[in-house]
Amino acid sequence: MPTARCLDALLWRAAAAPSSFQRVNGESSKVQEPEPPKRRSRRKSHILLRIDSWIDSTVWNAGFAAGEAWEEITIFFRRFRVHGWKRAVFEVLGEALTLGTAGMVLLLALAMPAFEETKKDWRNRGNFAVTFLDRYGNQIGHRGIIHENSVPIDALPDHLIKAVLATEDRRFFDHFGIDFLGLIRAMNENARAGSVVQGGSTLTQQLAKNLFLTNERSLERKIKEAFLALWLEANLTKKEILSLYLDRAYMGGGTFGAAAAAQFYFGKNITEVNLAESAMLAGLFKAPAKYAPHVNLPAARARANEVLSNMVQSGIMTEGQVIGARRNPATVVDRDDAEAPDYFLDWAFDEVQRLAARFPQHSLVVRTTIDMGLQKAAEAAVASSLREYGESYNAKQAALALIENGGAVRAMVGGRDYGESQFNRATKALRQPGSSFKVYTYSLAMESGLTPDSPIVDAPISWGNWSPHNYGNSYAGRIDIKTALAKSINTIPVRLAKEKLGPNAIDKIMAEAEKFGIETPIRKDVTIPIGTSEVTVLDQATAYAVFPAGGYQSRRHGIAQIMNYDGDVLYDFSRDEPPPQRVLSETAAAYMNQMLTRVPYVGTGRRAAVDGILTGGKTGTTQAYRDAWFCGFTGNYTAAVWFGNDDYTSTNNMTGGSVPAMTFKKLMDYAHQGIELRAIPGVENPAPEAAAPKVATAASEGEPAGLPPLMRPRSLSADSTRLIREIGRMLKEAKPVTTPRRVASAAGRDPG
């Protein structure tokens, strides 16, 4: 039997094997024999085989289960399979859902920066009440709660609410922030008229723009505006939205809100305005500068008549109810023609809140640094340049900042029209400065031991993957540094940064610009030697004012004193601010002034030279002619001028040596009338070309020819002008003189 044979074999092996017992102290004990190495390796192999088998079986079972599950899902969804036209419909819907989802993700990504604004205390505009004075103590405007007395929505006249809704948003109480029906209606009307006659934005969207955004015309801004409108509708009631809109909108004349506008235009409380006055106020929301009644009363009345027609067409009122307002249009109180410098006041109000945050009093009188004569001249210079050359050069906006030697801001123009756009392009718009940024690289070069006469090679150069090109793609070969700056050659500042300024040259240029007064964060990039990092106009004016200051900080400021209504001086710039620090050595500053004063005479800024007054500066033109700059100075004043478009579209080949330089000259011609001229440090003996009459027909490199010659205007001194104005005011205010009836003459006739 097999079993018996196996048993015999086992017994034989046991008998043949050596005894595994030994006797210890007379006792028998078992001795453990060492296991052969081959048996241990077999056991280890068996364990590994079991692990491998478990892994194989687990993976196979998982795959089998997944296949079964997938088959069940496939079988389940087969019942939804469609054919024919239904399949085409489902395919379209599926693609639309996919694209819609991707679009919503994109829109949300674009809107996220706007939502960050909602985290701030946007409801609170501060409890400051500030009366602003100019440098001579004349009142020029208000900001703060004095000018923003909000009236509860329930206390406003019913006809004012109706006039606003009929004109701005008839379906205000029916939509959720975006009115698609109104948008379709507006598109239809615009298509029929062949131009933009109606807007599709709701009142909520307009409020979102006023609270959080700027007037920049771009798709990104419209997307943000739409999302913020939805956010406002979700977080505020309709009454709150309407109240904020009426309280925050600009209404012309430097007024914000319907209550302030009623007081300014009609001299009465908002609760007392009649239907005709309400219609005139409602007409201001569209274009406050165009329809401001103290500027253009006929246009304001015509606009008010349109508002009355809107009320009739929308069914809010009947023709019989508005006929009285049509026959008796609103009249306004007499106002001085002088306009408030609103762009400057907005900036100055921010400065006051920063400086006076530590003071317990918030009802303040602030003496500013603005000179209204220079302010009007700056506004006139910008307006005339845009009017004469804006259309031909395709430039719709401009900005300007004027600083007197010592740091006082004397004039500021933040845009073409404050009524159309309250966005201050002088202090908030970030634009590439182009070649006007090169002065920081050249200043470092002068500090490093180079001089204006140091030789440099103008030739193609590459820095990593970047290869800058000169205007016209031409190269001059071996030249000196002063010629390179005057001709605005692009390769030279790049070569200076790469080869002459040592390691970390880009960091050094960034630090130099910050020392000069550039407050905008500068992007670290090898292209910044030729001005690719964005700055503001006020930044550039602040930095260039270092040169006429002899290398010292310009200490830019717009606030001279802050006082309470008791006359106590809470802040005084000359008392409370530290003295200026030197940011450029005396030698380097002298070298820079010697080079920059050649630019208006032999370089790219020939149209900026002020006749009879030594002028220095630098032009700047960015890629694709998007921005045109001139930043310049005399011994008395420094100014930065920018021309371009809000939407970053290119101008028609406008360079910094054309309209910006001409605008600079217009302003400086006025600013230097009847004042004591100061010398520019380091330029004791001006170059012969600077003293000689300027040849107006000479076209600088990169400057289009054909511009009309500019001549110094014949005008009175500043003192004579003020005296004549004072005489005119006295004559205007004087009482009329009555002549008594005289006795008849010898001829018996009455001379009367």
Side-chain angles (χ1 to χ4, degrees):
M1 296 292 292
T3 304
R5 286 196 298 268
C6 290
L7 183 58
D8 292 341
L10 290 174
L11 292 174
W12 180 84
R13 287 182 182 179
S19 175
S20 59
F21 291 88
Q22 66 180 1
R23 185 171 299 277
V24 180
N25 297 329
E27 298 291 336
S28 179
S29 62
K30 185 175 182 180
V31 178
Q32 184 69 33
E33 294 292 337
E35 186 176 2
K38 187 177 292 185
R39 185 174 297 176
R40 288 200 304 268
S41 63
R42 287 178 180 175
R43 181 174 297 176
K44 186 180 296 185
S45 299
H46 292 166
I47 294 173
L48 294 177
L49 287 173
R50 291 193 189 100
I51 294 174
D52 180 67
S53 176
W54 178 82
I55 293 174
D56 290 344
S57 60
T58 301
V59 172
W60 186 88
N61 290 333
F64 182 78
E68 286 186 331
W70 178 253
E71 185 176 0
E72 292 178 359
I73 293 172
T74 304
I75 293 172
F76 174 78
F77 278 102
R78 281 177 183 171
R79 67 185 69 181
F80 300 107
R81 187 173 297 175
V82 293
H83 303 277
W85 64 270
K86 293 182 179 180
R87 180 171 182 176
V89 172
F90 277 101
E91 290 289 342
V92 172
L93 292 176
E95 292 297 328
L97 181 61
T98 302
L99 294 176
T101 302
M104 291 299 293
V105 172
L106 176 61
L107 293 179
L108 184 60
L110 292 174
M112 287 303 294
F115 284 146
E116 292 296 322
E117 297 292 333
T118 63
K119 297 180 180 179
K120 302 177 182 178
D121 189 11
W122 54 270
R123 286 179 179 268
N124 181 25
R125 289 169 292 173
N127 58 346
F128 285 89
V130 183
T131 299
F132 286 101
L133 311 177
D134 66 7
R135 63 178 298 193
Y136 301 112
N138 302 310
Q139 184 173 310
I140 55 174
H142 301 273
R143 286 295 186 272
I145 59 176
I146 285 180
H147 223 57
E148 301 168 352
N149 293 323
S150 179
V151 177
I153 195 71
D154 295 328
L156 295 175
D158 183 63
H159 46 69
L160 174 63
I161 303 298
K162 291 179 178 178
V164 172
L165 294 182
T167 304
E168 297 298 320
D169 192 351
R170 298 179 186 179
R171 287 172 37 83
F172 174 68
F173 288 100
D174 297 325
H175 62 68
F176 51 89
I178 303 175
D179 185 9
F180 292 103
L181 294 178
L183 181 61
I184 294 173
R185 182 185 67 250
M187 293 174 61
N188 182 49
E189 292 295 328
N190 293 337
R192 291 173 58 185
S195 61
V196 179
V197 296
Q198 286 190 14
S201 296
T202 64
L203 189 147
T204 311
Q205 289 176 273
Q206 296 178 50
L207 176 62
K209 181 182 67 174
N210 292 338
L211 290 178
F212 305 111
L213 305 174
T214 68
N215 287 331
E216 176 191 1
R217 294 185 177 182
S218 66
L219 178 61
E220 181 181 0
R221 196 219 74 189
K222 293 298 293 182
I223 293 172
K224 292 179 180 179
E225 180 183 288
F227 272 90
L228 287 170
L230 297 176
W231 184 88
L232 287 172
E233 291 280 350
N235 289 273
L236 302 177
T237 65
K238 288 289 187 178
K239 280 188 176 181
E240 289 176 323
I241 293 173
L242 183 57
S243 178
L244 282 171
Y245 180 76
L246 293 174
D247 190 40
R248 301 291 181 93
Y250 180 66
M251 304 288 283
T255 63
F256 287 84
Q263 190 67 44
F264 180 79
Y265 293 124
F266 310 125
K268 60 175 63 176
N269 192 285
I270 187 64
T271 59
E272 301 172 356
V273 297
N274 56 37
L275 177 58
E277 293 164 342
S278 294
M280 188 171 286
L281 290 175
L284 291 172
F285 290 99
K286 180 180 181 180
K290 180 179 180 180
Y291 299 119
H294 73 303
V295 176
N296 193 340
L297 184 58
R301 287 178 171 174
R303 175 63 177 166
N305 199 48
E306 293 180 14
V307 173
L308 295 173
S309 298
N310 291 336
M311 298 174 72
V312 174
Q313 293 172 4
S314 62
I316 295 177
M317 284 189 173
T318 64
E319 184 63 34
Q321 290 175 304
V322 303
I323 191 65
R326 292 189 193 273
R327 292 178 176 177
N328 301 286
T331 57
V332 298
V333 298
D334 290 334
R335 291 287 178 187
D336 191 355
D337 292 337
E339 287 288 326
D342 289 307
Y343 287 116
F344 175 85
L345 291 181
D346 287 347
W347 173 69
F349 187 52
D350 292 337
E351 292 292 293
V352 169
Q353 294 180 83
R354 177 180 63 84
L355 294 170
R358 61 185 183 274
F359 301 148
Q361 303 97 325
H362 283 185
S363 294
L364 305 169
V365 178
V366 175
R367 182 187 292 271
T368 68
T369 60
I370 194 169
D371 185 307
M372 289 305 297
L374 294 174
Q375 176 67 24
K376 292 178 182 178
E379 293 173 353
V382 170
S384 63
S385 294
L386 285 171
R387 184 171 56 252
E388 295 174 35
Y389 304 110
E391 184 176 354
S392 59
Y393 277 103
N394 188 34
K396 299 179 176 62
Q397 284 294 347
L400 180 151
L402 176 69
I403 298 178
E404 189 172 3
N405 192 352
V409 178
R410 297 302 188 200
M412 179 182 293
V413 180
R416 184 170 197 151
D417 192 325
Y418 187 82
E420 293 180 0
S421 170
Q422 293 82 57
F423 179 67
N424 193 337
R425 294 159 188 82
T427 62
K428 296 181 179 179
L430 299 178
R431 309 298 299 224
Q432 289 186 348
S435 295
S436 66
F437 197 87
K438 294 176 181 177
V439 294
Y440 312 119
T441 303
Y442 281 104
S443 295
L444 278 173
M446 297 300 103
E447 292 278 22
S448 68
L450 298 177
T451 71
D453 296 319
S454 296
I456 193 82
V457 176
D458 174 27
I461 186 173
S462 296
W463 198 343
N465 297 325
W466 176 58
S467 300
H469 298 279
N470 291 334
Y471 186 89
N473 291 321
S474 60
Y475 302 93
R478 189 179 180 85
I479 57 175
D480 53 33
I481 290 181
K482 65 177 182 290
T483 301
L485 178 60
K487 299 299 182 182
S488 195
I489 297 175
N490 284 336
T491 63
I492 300 304
V494 179
R495 190 175 300 278
L496 288 172
K498 183 180 180 182
E499 300 177 359
K500 304 294 184 180
L501 300 184
N504 303 320
I506 299 302
D507 292 330
K508 294 177 181 178
I509 296 173
M510 295 169 62
E512 187 78 354
E514 292 172 0
K515 287 195 304 181
F516 271 58
I518 301 295
E519 297 182 356
T520 305
I522 301 174
R523 291 183 290 103
K524 185 175 182 179
D525 191 273
V526 295
T527 62
I528 67 170
I530 61 172
T532 58
S533 184
E534 295 82 1
V535 296
T536 67
V537 172
L538 190 58
D539 278 344
Q540 286 292 80
T542 303
Y544 270 73
V546 168
F547 299 119
Y552 283 92
Q553 292 173 330
S554 63
R555 295 204 303 169
R556 176 199 76 204
H557 62 283
I559 307 300
Q561 286 183 329
I562 299 177
M563 300 163 285
N564 59 23
Y565 278 89
D566 294 329
D568 301 323
V569 178
L570 306 177
Y571 168 84
D572 188 288
F573 175 81
S574 59
R575 179 193 69 192
D576 299 325
E577 296 297 332
Q581 302 296 317
R582 178 172 288 281
V583 296
L584 193 61
S585 69
E586 185 176 357
T587 301
Y591 284 158
M592 288 300 300
N593 285 337
Q594 292 167 18
M595 292 193 295
L596 290 172
T597 51
R598 300 180 75 251
V599 174
Y601 304 98
V602 298
T604 58
R606 298 179 186 179
R607 305 198 67 82
V610 183
D611 298 316
I613 299 173
L614 184 62
T615 311
K618 185 71 187 72
T619 58
T621 308
T622 63
Q623 188 176 12
Y625 298 98
R626 290 189 178 93
D627 305 280
W629 295 73
F630 185 82
C631 304
F633 56 89
T634 64
N636 298 79
Y637 294 101
T638 300
V641 184
W642 166 84
F643 279 79
N645 294 303
D646 285 341
D647 57 2
Y648 296 93
T649 55
S650 299
T651 64
N652 186 18
N653 297 338
M654 179 185 287
T655 65
S658 58
V659 182
M662 295 164 60
T663 305
F664 172 88
K665 175 181 166 56
K666 290 178 185 178
L667 175 58
M668 290 300 184
D669 274 335
Y670 177 89
H672 288 81
Q673 295 177 24
I675 65 173
E676 181 181 353
L677 301 180
R678 300 178 183 177
I680 297 177
V683 193
E684 297 179 359
N685 298 313
E689 63 268 14
K694 179 169 66 70
V695 180
T697 57
S700 60
E701 180 181 346
E703 177 187 339
L707 293 171
L710 294 176
M711 304 299 295
R712 183 175 176 84
R714 296 180 60 188
S715 56
L716 298 172
S717 67
D719 292 337
S720 300
T721 302
R722 281 194 292 269
L723 180 60
I724 291 176
R725 287 178 178 174
E726 181 64 19
I727 294 174
R729 184 188 64 79
M730 294 172 62
L731 291 174
K732 184 177 180 181
E733 296 176 353
K735 296 181 179 180
V737 178
T738 57
T739 304
R741 189 177 185 84
R742 297 184 178 181
V743 181
S745 63
R749 292 175 297 183
D750 188 345

